[in-house]
């Protein structure tokens, strides 16, 4: 993969991969891009003479000149598709994927049975093959729908739309986030190589000009009695596991600060008693402690009986 010459990107010819106008370079034939920022869908990564990593991308075959077009975030956000459409597209996406052995064993080690893993439709988002995944969805649902589904996006390269699946820069565990009807409204990713402060992230294309899922309350699949007690916690995987292992329906918010979002869901479920089960650091973290206190007060005002459950650190 050697080339006679490379052209540095500029304001007039930004990087076709990340859209920036510095650091990156394009080969003289326009077929290869050394991007300093975007690792997703790269063929491989290398280190330059200074020890800095860059990612080698192959552009669509047939380009005979340096690329001068890249998709950038639009000023007007793309609206997210409705819940019914999201469920259709995400269900189809998951049907094309499987769970890797490592992810399967990790889920088993956290207490989930094989039947629970199948029921909750966990999958592995691969690092490679995302162009093909996007193409299959595009063929079935069309551009108008796909562009409104968070995580499906396109780059405009020499005015040609190249579709792919956004996400972490590597593989990761896909966790369906469900609404109160059981339909899949979003997908959460647990990257295999998480970055600090980002243990989980939504499958989204908002940062690159596409649709974003927004914050969602996750309501795990459950066929037991939820009119008496429902646990309120944070994190989709945690609530799935708590539901499966305890037999108590455990819904979750995306973060402790989002507890207000759960009240309409609890009311819709007909819940009488709410068991608050936020992270165990409430005793040391003043912010978590304050949110726990605020949630407890509001839930009691709304007429719920309240219990507080502390996770074992």
């Amino acid at each position: 993969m050697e080339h006679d010459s490379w052209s540095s990107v500029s304001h007039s010819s930004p990087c076709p991969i990340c859209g920036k106008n510095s650091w990156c370079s394009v080969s003289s034939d326009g077929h290869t891009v050394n991007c300093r920022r975007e690792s997703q869908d790269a063929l491989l990564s290398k280190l330059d003479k200074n020890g800095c990593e860059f990612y080698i991308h192959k552009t669509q075959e047939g380009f005979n000149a340096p690329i001068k077009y890249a998709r950038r975030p639009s000023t007007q956000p793309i609206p997210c598709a409705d819940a019914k459409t999201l469920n259709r597209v995400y269900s189809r996406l998951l049907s094309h994927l499987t769970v890797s052995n490592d992810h399967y064993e990790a889920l088993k080690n956290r207490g989930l049975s094989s039947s629970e893993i199948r029921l909750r439709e966990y999958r592995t988002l691969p690092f490679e093959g995302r162009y093909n995944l996007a193409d299959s969805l595009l063929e079935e649902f069309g551009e108008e729908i796909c562009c409104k589904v968070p995580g499906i996006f396109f780059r405009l390269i020499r005015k040609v739309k190249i579709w792919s699946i956004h996400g972490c820069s590597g593989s990761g565990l896909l966790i369906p986030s469900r609404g109160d009807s059981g339909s899949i409204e979003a997908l959460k990713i647990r990257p295999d190589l998480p970055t600090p402060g980002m243990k989980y992230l939504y499958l989204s294309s908002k940062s690159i000009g596409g649709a974003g899922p927004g914050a969602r309350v996750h309501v795990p699949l459950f066929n037991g009695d939820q009119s008496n007690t429902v646990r309120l916690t944070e994190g989709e995987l945690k609530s799935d596991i708590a539901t499966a292992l305890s037999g108590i329906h455990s819904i979750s918010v995306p973060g402790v600060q989002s507890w207000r979002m759960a009240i309409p869901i609890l009311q819709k479920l007909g819940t009488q008693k709410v068991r608050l089960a936020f992270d165990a650091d409430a005793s040391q973290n003043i912010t978590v402690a304050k949110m726990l206190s605020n949630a407890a007060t509001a839930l009691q005002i709304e007429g719920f009986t309240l219990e507080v459950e502390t996770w074992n650190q």
Side-chain angles (χ1 to χ4, degrees):
M1 196 176 291
E2 297 295 326
H3 297 270
D4 293 335
S5 62
W6 295 86
S7 299
S8 297
V9 298
S10 63
H11 286 280
S12 60
S13 298
C15 176
I17 304 301
C18 68
K20 303 297 183 180
N21 53 38
S22 61
W23 290 10
C24 310
S25 58
V26 181
S27 65
S28 57
D29 63 6
H31 286 277
T32 308
V33 179
N34 288 344
C35 182
R36 298 281 180 170
R37 299 174 179 87
E38 182 58 69
S39 60
Q40 180 183 315
D41 297 323
L43 293 178
L44 70 159
S45 63
K46 288 187 175 182
L47 299 178
D48 65 15
K49 61 183 180 181
N50 297 316
C52 298
E53 192 172 23
F54 63 93
Y55 307 98
I56 300 175
H57 296 258
K58 198 73 173 177
T59 62
Q60 186 183 33
E61 292 184 5
F63 294 162
N64 297 313
I67 301 161
K68 295 185 178 181
Y69 300 92
R71 184 165 190 232
R72 297 181 179 181
S74 61
T75 55
Q76 295 295 326
I78 294 177
C80 183
D82 60 76
K84 184 178 180 180
T85 299
L86 291 173
N87 183 64
R88 288 173 57 218
V89 178
Y90 284 145
S91 294
R92 179 61 68 192
L93 172 61
L94 296 179
S95 74
H96 290 294
L97 300 172
T98 59
V99 183
S100 71
N101 290 334
D102 288 344
H103 288 157
Y104 181 83
E105 290 303 321
L107 292 167
K108 292 277 285 186
N109 289 337
R110 295 189 69 165
L112 291 175
S113 65
S114 297
S115 60
E116 286 285 351
I117 295 172
R118 288 194 300 271
L119 172 69
R120 302 188 187 282
E121 297 185 273
Y122 303 115
R123 297 290 189 270
T124 296
L125 178 66
F127 177 66
E128 298 179 342
R130 297 188 193 180
Y131 291 122
N132 292 333
L133 281 173
D135 285 344
S136 65
L137 297 175
L138 194 69
E139 183 177 351
E140 181 171 353
F141 298 104
E143 286 192 17
E144 186 176 352
I145 288 178
C146 286
C147 71
K148 296 179 181 179
V149 176
I152 305 176
F153 77 106
F154 67 86
R155 290 192 179 97
L156 195 59
I157 302 179
R158 289 186 60 84
K159 300 182 180 180
V160 176
K161 291 180 180 179
I162 307 298
W163 292 81
S164 187
I165 305 295
H166 202 236
C168 53
S169 56
S171 60
L173 176 66
L174 278 179
I175 305 161
S177 176
R178 300 179 185 272
D180 57 81
S181 67
S183 62
I184 303 172
E185 296 183 350
L187 292 172
K188 262 302 184 51
I189 311 171
R190 180 180 174 128
D192 292 336
L193 297 173
T195 55
M198 295 183 66
K199 189 174 182 180
Y200 295 88
L201 58 143
Y202 278 111
L203 184 70
S204 174
S205 39
K206 185 177 180 179
S207 64
I208 51 175
R216 304 272 181 168
V217 177
H218 171 52
V219 185
L221 297 173
F222 183 70
N223 59 7
D225 181 17
Q226 56 196 13
S227 62
N228 182 25
T229 302
V230 170
R231 179 184 286 112
L232 176 58
T233 186
E234 51 185 314
E236 291 80 2
L237 184 56
K238 183 191 295 183
S239 63
D240 277 355
I241 294 171
T243 297
L245 298 186
S246 71
I248 296 175
H249 202 189
S250 306
I251 72 172
S252 67
V253 290
V256 64
Q257 73 280 359
S258 308
W259 58 266
R260 292 177 184 84
M261 298 170 54
I263 291 179
I265 301 295
L266 292 166
Q267 292 171 332
K268 189 173 182 178
L269 294 176
T271 303
Q272 300 174 23
K273 183 188 297 180
V274 178
R275 183 175 294 184
L276 271 181
F278 287 160
D279 281 353
D281 60 351
S283 59
Q284 293 100 20
N285 189 318
I286 189 171
T287 300
V288 176
K290 183 178 180 180
M291 292 296 175
L292 179 63
S293 175
N294 291 344
T297 301
L299 288 166
Q300 288 176 313
I301 291 174
E302 292 292 335
F304 296 103
T305 302
L306 185 70
E307 292 181 348
V308 176
E309 185 175 48
T310 304
W311 296 105
N312 187 320
Q313 286 185 321

